[in-house]
Amino acid sequence: MSNNTTPRVALVTGASGGIGRAVAARLGAEGMAVGVHYAGNRERAEATADAVNSAGGQSHLVSGDIADENAVSTMFDELESRYGGVDVVVHTAGIMLLSPLTELAFDDFDRMVRTNVRGAFVVSQQAARRVRDGGAIVNFSSSVVKLALPNYGAYAATKGAVDALTLILAKELRGRDITVNTVAPGPTATPLFLDGKSSEAVDAMKKMTPLERLGEPEDIAETVAHLAGPARWINGQIVYANGGII
């Protein structure tokens, strides 16, 4: 708890669906007040807010372009005004556009760099300035950085940048009692992952893990909840939440 009367406060970017929604709901179940960020689909964000409330937390919708430093600053302003401060930032927002390196359009590459790299930088910068001592910053990467799968080159490159940013920021926050970690999911049953993949491709992905299934958003949310709460001695790490995929 931040004090005797106020719950811990979290901001979850990309909370309107998939992993972001599961994370927001899980933090709500931990008793947190959750800033539910969305970029465009308010209806889906409202469904996430309902899930947070049903789980026992509080919710407040915030919207903005995560790559725009002014928009992100405004989101923090809103949460600080409403709840008094922010303790946890979970940055799940990102996009994935797959293509062989030789065929990827530069417009698509630039979109991923803006959202995945600049967005992570902007959110991490604001979080580092404004998260209360005793808090946690959790970024999102991907196990494909390590797996080096064909067609994932540009996407993996953007997530490799997030890995580097996280490891360095953890050291820069020395003395603040703020942990900084990255969660790197493996294949997870979300629209982002499943879109455009054949059933054969999905089955092949399932076989890559010893558990022979895809991850579920709730699997990832469990890892985030640990890093956001009791895991105070895990810091400056890339946590591979992927069921043992190698």
Side-chain angles (χ1 to χ4, degrees), residues 87-123:
D87 302 285
V88 175
V89 174
V90 185
H91 180 52
T92 77
I95 59 174
M96 179 172 66
L97 305 172
L98 304 182
S99 169
L101 194 65
T102 56
E103 300 174 15
L104 182 69
F106 277 99
D107 285 348
D108 288 342
F109 178 72
D110 290 342
R111 283 177 59 202
M112 281 195 289
V113 168
R114 187 178 191 280
T115 299
N116 297 354
V117 181
R118 181 183 170 93
F121 186 92
V122 169
V123 172

Side-chain angles (χ1 to χ4, degrees), residues 128-153:
R129 291 173 176 173
R130 301 172 75 162
V131 164
R132 293 185 283 204
D133 289 359
I137 300 169
V138 183
N139 283 318
F140 263 70
S141 180
S142 172
S143 289
V144 299
V145 176
K146 180 173 67 172
L147 295 172
L149 299 176
N151 299 324
Y152 284 81

Side-chain angles (χ1 to χ4, degrees), residues 45-81:
E46 288 173 344
T48 298
D50 289 342
V52 172
N53 298 336
S54 296
Q58 304 174 44
S59 65
H60 178 67
L61 296 182
V62 293
S63 181
D65 177 0
I66 59 166
D68 182 330
E69 61 271 29
N70 295 317
V72 174
S73 179
T74 297
M75 290 191 290
F76 277 87
D77 289 343
E78 285 189 39
L79 294 177
E80 289 172 354
S81 175

Side-chain angles (χ1 to χ4, degrees), residues 1-7:
M1 303 289 283
S2 302
N3 56 47
N4 291 331
T5 59
T6 305

Side-chain angles (χ1 to χ4, degrees), residues 138-181:
V138 183
N139 283 318
F140 263 70
S141 180
S142 172
S143 289
V144 299
V145 176
K146 180 173 67 172
L147 295 172
L149 299 176
N151 299 324
Y152 284 81
Y155 174 73
T158 66
K159 291 303 185 178
V162 175
D163 290 350
L165 176 68
T166 297
L167 300 181
I168 293 169
L169 182 58
K171 294 181 178 180
E172 291 181 347
L173 293 185
R174 174 181 294 273
R176 288 279 306 280
D177 190 23
I178 295 173
T179 61
V180 188
N181 293 289

